[in-house]
Amino acid sequence: MKIKTKYIGEIDVKDEQIITFSTGIPAFDDETSFVLHPFDEQSPFLVLQSTKSVEIAFILVNPFDFVPNYEVKLQESTKEQLNIEKPEEVSTYVLLTVKEPFAETTANLQGPIIINVRTNKAKQILMSDSSYTTKHQIFKQATKAGKGE
């Protein structure tokens, strides 16, 4: 099927590419069907695009690329809900809040998106018992780490 995207126009999507959030994403409860695609070929950023609403699209990154010690502990209920059988079935992403200038962009490390890559079931979880924040400055940390080398 073809869907219109917010950032790159119309794309072809196969049924096996559809990612399903059984209860939607918080504040977007009616949006349960998404596709994940690269923002562009050289970018580490991905777009989680609603298959129903062009304007509903989130910019994501792999948090481990920016925060090497990032840890996510999945509760058994989440593993059951997403039919996770093995750790290698799990892909983890975090939502970005894009700001101007872009270096001020923050990541929500407290609410990662968990995707079972085998079943394409997904869920945003809340890690309220962690030291992570919803506005983690990943680019400033990466810049500081790069200066020390």
Side-chain angles (χ1 to χ4, degrees), residues 57-133:
F58 304 97
I59 306 297
L60 308 179
V61 293
N62 178 335
F64 305 105
D65 292 342
F66 294 90
V67 185
N69 298 328
Y70 186 61
E71 289 184 34
V72 177
K73 293 189 172 128
L74 296 180
Q75 295 181 351
E76 285 303 315
S77 59
T78 299
K79 291 178 187 176
E80 288 174 18
Q81 183 181 5
L82 300 180
N83 295 80
I84 295 169
E85 297 172 358
K86 301 180 235 172
E88 52 271 13
E89 294 176 346
V90 177
S91 280
T92 303
Y93 300 97
V94 293
L95 296 161
L96 295 184
T97 300
V98 178
K99 298 186 178 180
E100 194 59 46
F102 190 73
E104 298 293 321
T105 294
T106 60
N108 180 355
L109 296 184
Q110 199 174 60
I113 302 281
I114 306 299
I115 301 172
N116 180 331
V117 296
R118 178 179 53 84
T119 64
N120 276 351
K121 290 184 177 183
K123 178 179 184 176
Q124 183 177 20
I125 63 171
L126 177 61
M127 300 191 308
S128 57
D129 60 343
S130 76
S131 62
Y132 300 122
T133 69

